[in-house]
Amino acid sequence: MAHLRIGAVRSAGTGERTSERLLASAREAALAGQAPCTAPRTVIGESWTRMLRLGVDPDIGEPDRILSTDDVEQRRRSTPLADILPSLRDGLVSVANADRHIMVVTDAEGRVLWRDGNLALSKSADRLGFAEGASWAEGSVGTNAIGTALVTRTPLQVHSAEHFVRTLHHWTCAAAPLHDPRDGRLLGVVDISGPATRAHPSTLALVSAVARVAEGELRARHWEAVERLRSVAAPLLTRISGQALAVDRNGWTAAVTGMAGTDRVALPVQVRPGQAWLPALGLCELDPLPGGWLIRVSARERPAAGNRVVLDVSGAQGSEVTVHGPAGSWTQQLSPRHAELLFVLALHPGGRSAAQLAADLFGDPSRTVTVRAEMSRLRRTLAGVLAHRPYRFADGVRVEVLRPVREGELLPHSLAPAVLAERG
């Protein structure tokens, strides 16, 4: 199926009703496989294309089952979002109540974990299935602020007929992603939703600002935890000869002895006590500490390089890299930017210069400073696997890329020209 012709919305200039009619007309043209007279915004048009490819029902969506109360409670207990819920409520619920809106917080899969706000609108939301435990991912309810923000990883407001599913056309919603500052992991989304007739352009700015404040609270809690770990680990490290360091559960360094300090050590996805191979340090011995790990470096020689790398970009929720070497294997989740970089390097075994990577990622070969900074971080994590001048996978390293079944779902958050070209 051909992609939609998309672009910036042209101002209607004749009021809200005219604007909504233009949106509805653009949607109908998209459903009919025709070019609309007024193209939707790029982010909306790309989402509509995904929905057409997935075969989402444009009238009612593809509703998933609502989780049980026990399942919702289990998800609430397992997410850091519970720690910042008071901040989100303080910043948004009073506004939602006053303006006949509701506030919703979802996890990274788009499952509604908490809902608060105007009582009358909550009853309308119930009738739509917009309830705690419901899935608000794109695959369930089509283009919407929550599900589409989870894909694009950026704040987004979706209004009226920009929603792919017709039953949502009387709604407007503004959502902002929430990330864990310890590892950049996407935790979920905070959203304000209400009647389309009460849409206001400042809502998105408010939601985005509250999300940043909440993330700042998580960041402060993180550094407080690192300080507590330092107070425990520092006396312990004074009794250890050789190279050792104490890190929290996300690899952030609390104390170090016998070696140069580093801000963070990339830990495997699954960390267990005992011997482990870490690309940046080599063979190590790991012992649990309250809130983290004690890492003893087993040898001073350079870390053994991996001989096989598996880059998994097949999942919509995230990407990961696995390095296999003589001393074992190691897996770590990747940030969206690092997933893009490794994917582009896998496409070009001969290597890419900083300017070429800047063009691949940003369409601007002058953005070499950003590329060099990101590659420096990647090379610290994947020591012995990545080389430079030009940037490439090291000689002798075999690279395997696991792609999604549908090429159109490749790194769906990415706007990098090289990734867009690979989506076809």
Side-chain angles (χ1 to χ4, degrees):
M1 183 198 69
H3 284 259
L4 301 175
R5 281 174 38 188
I6 51 183
V9 172
R10 294 194 293 271
S11 174
T14 54
E16 183 68 22
R17 290 185 178 179
T18 300
S19 175
E20 290 185 6
R21 283 197 296 269
L22 287 172
L23 288 173
S25 175
R27 174 180 172 274
E28 291 302 318
L31 293 178
Q34 301 169 354
C37 295
T38 301
R41 290 183 289 155
T42 298
V43 66
I44 299 300
E46 289 180 344
S47 178
W48 286 357
T49 297
R50 288 194 296 273
M51 299 309 97
L52 291 168
R53 186 186 299 116
L54 290 173
V56 174
D57 189 317
D59 290 321
I60 61 172
E62 305 291 333
D64 202 348
R65 70 175 183 88
I66 294 181
L67 297 179
S68 68
T69 301
D70 289 344
D71 287 340
V72 171
E73 284 299 324
Q74 192 280 326
R75 292 192 181 214
R76 287 173 172 175
R77 290 192 297 268
S78 63
T79 176
L81 292 176
D83 296 330
I84 58 174
L85 184 62
S87 294
L88 298 174
R89 282 176 167 155
D90 288 348
L92 296 174
V93 171
S94 61
V95 176
N97 272 319
D99 201 33
R100 200 168 175 261
H101 281 60
I102 55 174
M103 182 202 79
V104 169
V105 180
T106 79
D107 64 12
E109 295 179 359
R111 289 286 183 177
V112 178
L113 299 185
W114 292 278
R115 194 187 72 181
D116 209 336
N118 182 268
L119 182 59
L121 193 66
S122 295
K123 293 179 179 178
S124 297
D126 286 337
R127 290 191 289 271
L128 279 175
F130 198 7
E132 290 176 351
S135 172
W136 225 245
E138 277 194 338
S140 295
V141 295
T143 305
N144 72 97
I146 292 171
T148 307
L150 287 172
V151 172
T152 63
R153 305 294 205 271
T154 56
L156 177 68
Q157 189 162 17
V158 176
H159 176 64
S160 185
E162 287 185 322
H163 290 94
F164 184 78
V165 174
R166 178 182 49 78
T167 53
L168 302 181
H169 287 186
H170 296 299
W171 288 72
T172 186
C173 46
L178 294 161
H179 296 88
D180 191 329
R182 297 171 296 182
D183 55 12
R185 177 169 53 97
L186 180 66
L187 297 174
V189 157
V190 59
D191 166 87
I192 286 284
S193 292
T197 54
R198 302 183 73 88
H200 196 282
S202 66
T203 304
L204 182 60
L206 172 64
V207 173
S208 299
V210 171
R212 300 295 80 77
V213 170
E215 288 179 342
E217 183 177 335
L218 280 179
R219 187 175 294 106
R221 288 171 178 262
H222 158 59
W223 288 119
E224 289 171 2
V226 171
E227 285 298 323
R228 290 194 297 271
L229 177 59
R230 180 176 291 120
S231 66
V232 172
L236 178 63
L237 290 179
T238 62
R239 302 193 293 271
I240 295 177
S241 59
Q243 297 178 331
L245 64 165
V247 301
D248 73 0
R249 294 189 180 98
N250 296 100
W252 290 96
T253 303
V256 63
T257 186
M259 58 188 295
T262 180
D263 290 339
R264 189 182 181 196
V265 174
L267 297 176
V269 172
Q270 300 292 334
V271 188
R272 297 181 179 87
Q275 202 171 70
W277 178 70
L278 306 180
L281 298 174
L283 204 59
C284 299
E285 192 74 26
L286 274 62
D287 295 299
L289 291 173
W293 295 91
L294 172 65
I295 302 176
R296 305 171 194 253
V297 182
S298 299
R300 294 179 180 273
E301 64 264 17
R302 291 184 63 186
N307 52 31
R308 178 170 168 256
V309 171
V310 178
L311 175 62
D312 187 349
V313 292
S314 64
Q317 296 300 323
S319 306
E320 64 181 29
V321 62
T322 301
V323 180
H324 300 271
S329 61
W330 169 94
T331 300
Q332 191 186 40
Q333 293 177 334
L334 295 168
S335 70
R337 179 68 71 216
H338 287 178
E340 290 173 336
L341 278 167
L342 291 180
F343 179 73
V344 171
L345 292 180
L347 293 177
H348 299 279
R352 303 294 273 174
S353 67
Q356 287 172 323
L357 282 176
D360 291 333
L361 266 62
F362 308 112
D364 180 0
S366 69
R367 294 186 60 177
T368 56
V369 172
T370 302
V371 166
R372 290 191 179 103
E374 292 292 350
M375 286 302 304
S376 177
R377 296 186 187 99
L378 258 179
R379 292 183 66 223
R380 284 199 298 270
T381 299
L382 300 174
V385 172
L386 293 177
H388 65 302
R389 297 179 184 173
Y391 293 115
R392 65 194 187 281
F393 284 98
D395 296 339
V397 175
R398 184 160 51 95
V399 181
E400 179 182 353
V401 179
L402 304 181
R403 296 179 178 235
V405 175
R406 298 182 180 91
E407 285 295 334
E409 297 174 15
L410 173 68
L411 298 174
H413 62 273
S414 177
L415 298 177
V419 176
L420 295 178
E422 283 297 304
R423 287 190 201 139

